[in-house]
Amino acid sequence: MQDNEEIMVKIRGMSFEYAGRKIFDNIDLDIPRGKITAIMGPSGTGKTTLLRLIGGQLRPTQGSIQVDGLEVPKLSHHDLYELRKRMGMLFQSGALLSDINVFENVAFPLREHTKLPESMIHDLVLMKLNAVGLRGARALMPSELSGGMARRVAMARAVTLDPTMIMYDEPFTGQDPISMGILIKLIHSLNRSLGITSIVVSHDVAETASIADYVYLVSGGKVIEQGTPEQLNHSSSEWTTQFMQGLPDGPLPFHYPATDFRDELLSGGRG
Amino acid sequence: MQLIRNLGRSALHSFQRLGRGNLFLFHTLMGVPQLFLRYRLIIQQLYSVGVMSLTIIVVSGLFTGMVLGLQLFNTLQNFGAEQSIGSVTALTLVRELGPVLTAIFFAGLAGTSLTAEIGLMKATEQLSGMEMMAVDPMRRVIAPRFLAAWLSVPVLALIFSAVAILGAYFVTVGLLGLDSSVYWSQMQAYVDWHEDVVNGIIKSIAFGFIAAWIAVFEGHDAVPTSEGVSRATIRTVVHTSLSVLGVDFILTSLMFGG
Ligand SMILES: Nc1ncnc2c1ncn2[C@@H]1O[C@H](COP(=O)(O)OP(=O)(O)O)[C@@H](O)[C@H]1O
Ligand SMILES: [Mg+2]
C-alpha cells in the first residue's frame, strides 16, 4: 500500500484463536498514519478482538503486529504500557469508571501519568469536555449519562493524553441519529484537526464509509476486500455488495455455523 | 468411568485455578512496593474496608463475649473454678475466636464486597479500559485493596477480642456478681504476652492474607457476567472460611501443640 513511514499499524500473517476456534486466519492489514481506517464486518467476526490484539491485550498465536514500528506481542510490560499512552481506545460500553464523576473520569489519565498542577488539569479537562459538548455535565456520575453521552465522555478521556492513534469500537451502535451525527463529526474533526490516526470498527456501513479514507471488510477470519469507500461501493464482488448494501443473506452467512436445521429438528433434540 | 473422568477434570480445573491464583498473588505483591509512594490509595481503601466492617465486628464481638462469659461461668461454676473465668475467656478469644471469627466475618462483609466490586469492574470493561489507558489495574485497583484488606484483619481481630473481653466482663462481673479484680488479675496472671497475644496476632495476619488474597482473586477471576460475579462472591465466603479453619488447625498445632 504505502511505504513504511506512512504505516502506523502493520499486521502480517497474523492468526488468533479462542480455545481452538480460529478467529483470524493469517491476515495482513495496514493502518495508514493520520488517516481514518474503517474495519467493517458482521458481528462476531472478531473486530473487537482485532483492536485488543493491536492494543496488546491479547497475543496472536502466530504472525506479527507492529504499531509505530514496535512489535506489540514481544514488548515488555513496561514498553507496552509506554506505547499505550500514545494510543486511545473507545470501548463499546464506554468503560467509564463508575465510582467517580465525569470530570474525574476525564482527569484520570492525567492524574495517573502526569504531575500537572491541579489548575492545569482543571483547564485541560474542561477543554476536552467542551470539545465533546459536555462541559456542563462534568459533575454527573457515569450512571446518570445516556449511552451517547457516556461515549462522548469516553472520547474526551481517550484524547486527554493527546494520543497519536485512537481505536473506536463500534462508536455508533445503539445511538440515536443526533448522537450518531455528533460522534461522526467528532471522529472526523479529531482526525482532520489533530491528525490522529483513527481506526473505526463498525457495521454501520453508510456512516462509517462517509468519513473513512480506507475500508477493510473482514469476515470469517479473513480480509475479504479492501479499498476506498468509493471502490467498495462499486465492487464487483458479491460479498462486498451484500455487506455494503446490507442485504440479509448472501455469500456472508446470516447464521452462526450450525448443523443442518432440518436434521436437528428431525432428531428431536437428541442430536 | 464417567465419574472418574469428571473427578479428573475438576481436579485439573482446581489445579489450574490454584496456579492462576499463585501467579495472581505474585503480580499483586509486585504492585505493593509502589503503593507506598501512593499511600492515599491504601488509606482510601482502608477507610472503606475498615469502616464497613468496624460496626459489625464491634457488635458481634460484644455478643460473642457476653455469650462466652455466660456459658463459661455456668460450666466453671460446676467445678468451683468460676474464679478463672477472666483468663479462660481471654485465652479463648485471643488465641482462637478473635482471629478466626474476625476473618470469617470479614470474608462475608468486606471480602464479598471487594470480590463483587472487582468482578463488576471487569464485567463492565473498566479494568480493560484502565489497561488501555496504560494504567495497570493490578497496581491501581488490586494491590491497594489487597493490602488494605490484609492490614485490616489483624486490627479488627484485636478490636473484636478487646470488645468481647469487655462483653464477658459485663456479664460475669456486672450481672452474675463475680469480683471485678478477680476477673482482671486472673487474666493478667495467665495470659502471656508472647505465647498468647503475639501468636494470636500472627494468626490473624495469616488469616488476613488469606482473606484478602481470595477476595481480590475471585473478583479478578470472575466470569464477567452478573451470574459469574454472584458465584465469585459465594466462592469468596466459602473458600475463605474453609481455608481459615484449615490453616487455623495447622497454626494452632504448631504454636500451642508442643
Ligand atoms: N473471551 C472470549 N472467549 C472465547 N471466545 C470469545 C471471547 N471473546 C469473544 N469470543 C468470540 O470471538 C468472536 C469474535 O468476538 P468479537 O471480537 O467480540 O466480535 P465483534 O467485535 O466483531 O462482534 C466471537 O464469535 C466470540 O464468540
Ligand atoms: Mg465487538
Side-chain angles (χ1 to χ4, degrees):
Chain A
M1 201 161 82
Q2 289 101 341
D3 61 280
N4 273 350
E5 286 294 288
E6 296 290 307
I7 295 173
M8 182 78 179
V9 180
K10 187 172 178 179
I11 297 179
R12 288 291 175 271
M14 193 271 286
S15 299
F16 179 78
E17 53 187 56
Y18 268 127
R21 196 158 74 82
K22 264 214 150 71
I23 307 292
F24 293 110
D25 186 10
N26 197 17
I27 66 164
D28 297 336
L29 203 140
D30 285 327
I31 307 288
R33 196 183 291 273
K35 297 271 165 55
I36 299 180
T37 306
I39 295 173
M40 298 201 261
S43 23
T45 26
K47 302 183 297 297
T48 302
T49 308
L50 181 64
L51 297 187
R52 287 187 189 276
L53 283 159
I54 295 174
Q57 290 191 315
L58 298 170
R59 274 162 207 267
T61 43
Q62 193 178 302
S64 127
I65 300 175
Q66 282 183 10
V67 176
D68 218 357
L70 300 169
E71 183 67 36
V72 176
K74 296 216 171 79
L75 289 180
S76 68
H77 185 272
H78 175 263
D79 292 346
L80 180 61
Y81 273 73
E82 284 304 309
L83 176 64
R84 282 181 185 160
K85 289 184 191 169
R86 295 187 272 135
M87 289 185 195
M89 173 144 172
L90 193 73
F91 283 80
Q92 246 163 303
S93 60
L96 296 176
L97 301 175
S98 53
D99 58 339
I100 51 180
N101 67 18
V102 165
F103 182 94
E104 286 303 321
N105 260 288
V106 179
F108 184 81
L110 292 171
R111 294 200 197 285
E112 290 294 315
H113 295 306
T114 69
K115 291 202 163 55
L116 294 176
E118 194 52 40
S119 63
M120 203 183 272
I121 291 187
H122 177 263
D123 294 351
L124 276 172
V125 170
L126 290 191
M127 261 165 60
K128 303 294 179 188
L129 279 175
N130 199 43
V132 297
L134 290 176
R135 188 163 46 87
R138 79 189 89 161
L140 297 182
M141 294 302 282
S143 57
E144 299 170 302
L145 303 174
S146 72
M149 287 161 86
R151 239 169 267 188
R152 277 148 67 193
V153 174
M155 207 181 271
R157 186 178 67 172
V159 295
T160 38
L161 291 178
D162 296 322
T164 46
M165 175 173 103
I166 304 189
M167 302 187 270
Y168 302 92
D169 194 358
E170 306 205 6
F172 314 126
T173 310
Q175 301 293 316
D176 61 74
I178 298 174
S179 314
M180 198 186 265
I182 296 174
L183 289 167
I184 292 175
K185 219 180 93 201
L186 280 171
I187 295 175
H188 194 69
S189 68
L190 278 175
N191 167 258
R192 293 298 183 258
S193 61
L194 304 173
I196 300 179
T197 305
S198 309
I199 307 179
V200 182
V201 153
S202 179
H203 42 225
D204 295 282
V205 177
E207 289 74 18
T208 313
S210 73
I211 51 168
D213 296 301
Y214 202 79
V215 180
Y216 283 93
L217 280 190
V218 182
S219 180
K222 300 257 185 214
V223 173
I224 297 181
E225 177 101 55
Q226 51 177 297
T228 61
E230 189 65 12
Q231 287 167 341
L232 292 204
N233 275 325
H234 300 103
S235 163
S236 56
S237 144
E238 266 185 80
W239 294 74
T240 311
T241 317
Q242 185 204 345
F243 192 79
M244 297 301 281
Q245 300 181 359
L247 306 176
D249 225 341
L252 290 177
F254 161 71
H255 290 286
Y256 190 88
T259 53
D260 190 68
F261 193 27
R262 188 164 165 270
D263 289 350
E264 196 166 340
L265 287 177
L266 288 176
S267 76
R270 292 180 302 273
Chain B
M1 213 38 226
Q2 188 65 33
L3 183 73
I4 294 173
R5 194 175 305 147
N6 284 345
L7 269 178
R9 187 172 306 145
S10 71
L12 214 63
H13 185 73
S14 307
F15 280 126
Q16 262 176 5
R17 273 181 62 86
L18 205 62
R20 276 210 304 280
N22 280 310
L23 205 64
F24 174 85
L25 178 65
F26 175 74
H27 286 298
T28 306
L29 292 176
M30 294 285 288
V32 166
Q34 284 143 331
L35 275 179
F36 293 105
L37 297 174
R38 305 190 58 187
Y39 57 92
R40 241 174 245 258
L41 286 176
I42 312 178
I43 293 181
Q44 202 181 333
Q45 286 306 319
L46 271 177
Y47 184 77
S48 69
V49 169
V51 166
M52 194 153 51
S53 322
L54 193 58
T55 328
I56 309 277
I57 290 291
V58 167
V59 173
S60 50
L62 191 66
F63 282 120
T64 307
M66 285 163 68
V67 171
L68 203 60
L70 204 56
Q71 289 281 11
L72 286 175
F73 190 84
N74 288 333
T75 313
L76 290 173
Q77 211 168 26
N78 293 335
F79 303 100
E82 71 271 18
Q83 307 284 331
S84 61
I85 189 137
S87 61
V88 178
T89 312
L91 287 178
T92 318
L93 282 166
V94 173
R95 282 177 170 189
E96 281 300 329
L97 291 184
V100 171
L101 288 183
T102 303
I104 291 175
F105 284 140
F106 186 84
L109 290 164
T112 47
S113 128
L114 286 176
T115 304
E117 186 189 15
I118 296 169
L120 285 173
M121 287 183 86
K122 183 181 177 189
T124 53
E125 293 190 312
Q126 294 184 51
L127 297 184
S128 265
M130 266 188 204
E131 274 180 22
M132 290 307 297
M133 285 186 280
V135 176
D136 187 348
M138 292 304 288
R139 290 179 191 166
R140 182 63 174 72
V141 177
I142 308 288
R145 281 167 178 74
F146 170 80
L147 197 62
W150 183 12
L151 294 177
S152 307
V153 173
V155 177
L156 290 172
L158 284 178
I159 294 175
F160 181 95
S161 296
V163 172
I165 287 171
L166 289 179
Y169 176 84
F170 172 70
V171 169
T172 52
V173 176
L175 299 181
L176 301 173
L178 189 80
D179 188 64
S180 161
S181 63
V182 170
Y183 186 85
W184 295 122
S185 63
Q186 278 285 322
M187 201 179 292
Q188 274 172 358
Y190 288 101
V191 179
D192 182 71
W193 166 253
H194 179 77
E195 272 287 299
D196 303 310
V197 180
V198 171
N199 276 340
I201 294 175
I202 292 176
K203 268 190 179 181
S204 60
I205 290 175
F207 298 162
F209 186 85
I210 294 172
W213 176 17
I214 293 180
V216 293
F217 174 67
E218 289 296 350
H220 191 262
D221 203 52
V223 178
T225 59
S226 24
E227 199 201 357
V229 173
S230 120
R231 282 182 183 205
T233 56
I234 297 175
R235 277 201 302 270
T236 294
V237 176
V238 175
H239 290 182
T240 309
S241 307
L242 293 181
S243 320
V244 163
L245 292 172
V247 171
D248 183 44
F249 176 72
I250 298 171
L251 287 180
T252 304
S253 40
L254 289 178
M255 289 169 171
F256 308 107

